[in-house]
Amino acid sequence: MARHDSPHTSTGRRALAALATAGVALGAGASAASAATGAPVHGAVNSRPTSIGSIDPQAAVQGALGALPYVTGAVSGLKPNPLAGTGVDPLDNGVGTQLADFQPLTSQMLTAPVAQAQSIGSIPVLGEVTKALGG
């Protein structure tokens, strides 16, 4: 029997259906909340600008820099090439050439660090950048 005759739905379809249902529920909740306020929405375009108060840019920068190690730490642990070690790894292929008596040049010289890296933090340049950013 062909695969398309299977009565089972795929996990992807179920996930999309759940996301669509959640989106509809959020939209209905937002429209109900805006209707409950009773304030006219059309007057918002003609309103005067107001002050947003005292903003401390230094606190904003400190907050962003404080979160940076958590973000770079999570990113540096990711696997850069999920297809590594499989038969369909596109970075495992290479093209090479040799001119006269010069050393041969191959594209694997560029792709090998990414293709064989265990994590983004172990890639030569990116690993140093994530460590410098606090990862």
Side-chain angles (χ1 to χ4, degrees), residues 34-84:
S34 67
T37 61
V41 177
H42 60 81
V45 175
N46 298 329
S47 66
R48 293 185 311 195
T50 59
S51 173
I52 57 175
S54 175
I55 296 178
D56 186 10
Q58 187 175 12
V61 170
Q62 287 176 348
L65 291 178
L68 194 60
Y70 298 105
V71 174
T72 56
V75 170
S76 67
L78 292 176
K79 188 173 182 179
N81 186 14
L83 297 174

Side-chain angles (χ1 to χ4, degrees), residues 4-114:
H4 66 277
D5 291 338
S6 176
H8 302 291
T9 59
S10 68
T11 305
R13 286 186 181 177
R14 282 185 264 152
L16 287 175
L19 285 173
T21 305
V24 168
L26 285 172
S31 65
S34 67
T37 61
V41 177
H42 60 81
V45 175
N46 298 329
S47 66
R48 293 185 311 195
T50 59
S51 173
I52 57 175
S54 175
I55 296 178
D56 186 10
Q58 187 175 12
V61 170
Q62 287 176 348
L65 291 178
L68 194 60
Y70 298 105
V71 174
T72 56
V75 170
S76 67
L78 292 176
K79 188 173 182 179
N81 186 14
L83 297 174
T86 64
V88 293
D89 184 7
L91 296 177
D92 193 30
N93 296 327
V95 176
T97 187
Q98 182 176 4
L99 299 172
D101 293 335
F102 295 108
Q103 185 177 8
L105 296 173
T106 64
S107 62
Q108 288 178 334
M109 295 168 65
L110 296 173
T111 60
V114 177

